[in-house]
């Protein structure tokens, strides 16, 4: 499946509300971030705390351009937590951190504008 990240991309095919609910999007707090020089595209390896039920999960995120690594711990982010883990080079990514492309095509993370409990689900 090819996904277009541009604002000019047409809307995707219509889905049912039940299909949408199958995608489990949660908020978590980044607790650690490290450089990921082995990645094909510049990326960080993140550890994100999704609260007691889901716990801390790993994610590889191509957010280097817009986010200095030392500013990441403590930030809340949204992620899909029910995709199967995916091998990214030598690392395993357990969740998909969500973001939008800015005008330069670089990722801007999707996050609540007010702190919410880690593990809160998007609805």
């Amino acid at each position: 499946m090819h996904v277009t990240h541009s604002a000019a991309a047409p809307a995707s095919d219509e889905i049912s509300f039940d299909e949408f609910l199958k995608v489990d999007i949660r908020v978590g707090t980044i607790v650690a971030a490290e450089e990921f020089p082995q990645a094909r595209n510049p990326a960080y390896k993140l550890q994100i705390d999704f609260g007691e039920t889901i716990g801390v999960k790993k994610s590889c995120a191509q957010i280097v351009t817009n986010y200095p690594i030392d500013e990441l711990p403590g930030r809340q982010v949204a992620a899909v937590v029910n995709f199967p883990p995916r091998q990214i080079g030598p690392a395993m990514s357990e969740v998909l951190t969500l973001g939008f492309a800015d005008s330069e095509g670089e990722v801007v993370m999707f996050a609540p504008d007010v702190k919410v409990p880690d593990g809160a689900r998007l609805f």
Side-chain angles (χ1 to χ4, degrees):
M1 175 174 90
H2 176 71
V3 178
T4 303
H5 300 292
S6 134
S12 295
D13 294 340
E14 189 175 281
I15 63 170
S16 72
F17 189 69
D18 286 342
E19 288 173 304
F20 167 73
L21 289 177
K22 290 179 184 178
V23 181
D24 193 349
I25 300 172
R26 304 285 182 122
V27 167
T29 298
I30 298 172
V31 294
E34 61 182 280
E35 302 283 345
F36 188 19
Q38 303 91 339
R40 187 176 316 142
N41 298 313
Y44 295 135
K45 289 192 286 187
L46 307 176
Q47 291 186 43
I48 306 169
D49 185 354
F50 292 97
E52 191 175 310
T53 302
I54 297 173
V56 176
K57 299 290 182 180
K58 298 174 188 166
S59 182
C60 301
Q62 295 177 9
I63 57 172
V64 173
T65 301
N66 285 326
Y67 300 94
I69 196 166
D70 60 332
E71 293 179 11
L72 291 171
R75 289 184 76 103
Q76 285 197 305
V77 296
V80 176
V81 298
N82 66 331
F83 284 151
R86 185 171 175 199
Q87 191 77 40
I88 309 290
M92 187 62 71
S93 191
E94 300 173 302
V95 299
L96 175 65
T97 303
L98 299 175
F100 296 96
D102 65 14
S103 61
E104 304 298 318
E106 299 296 335
V107 178
V108 175
M109 290 187 293
F110 182 59
D113 58 0
V114 175
K115 186 165 177 53
V116 299
D118 288 335
R121 185 171 180 170
L122 180 77
F123 61 89

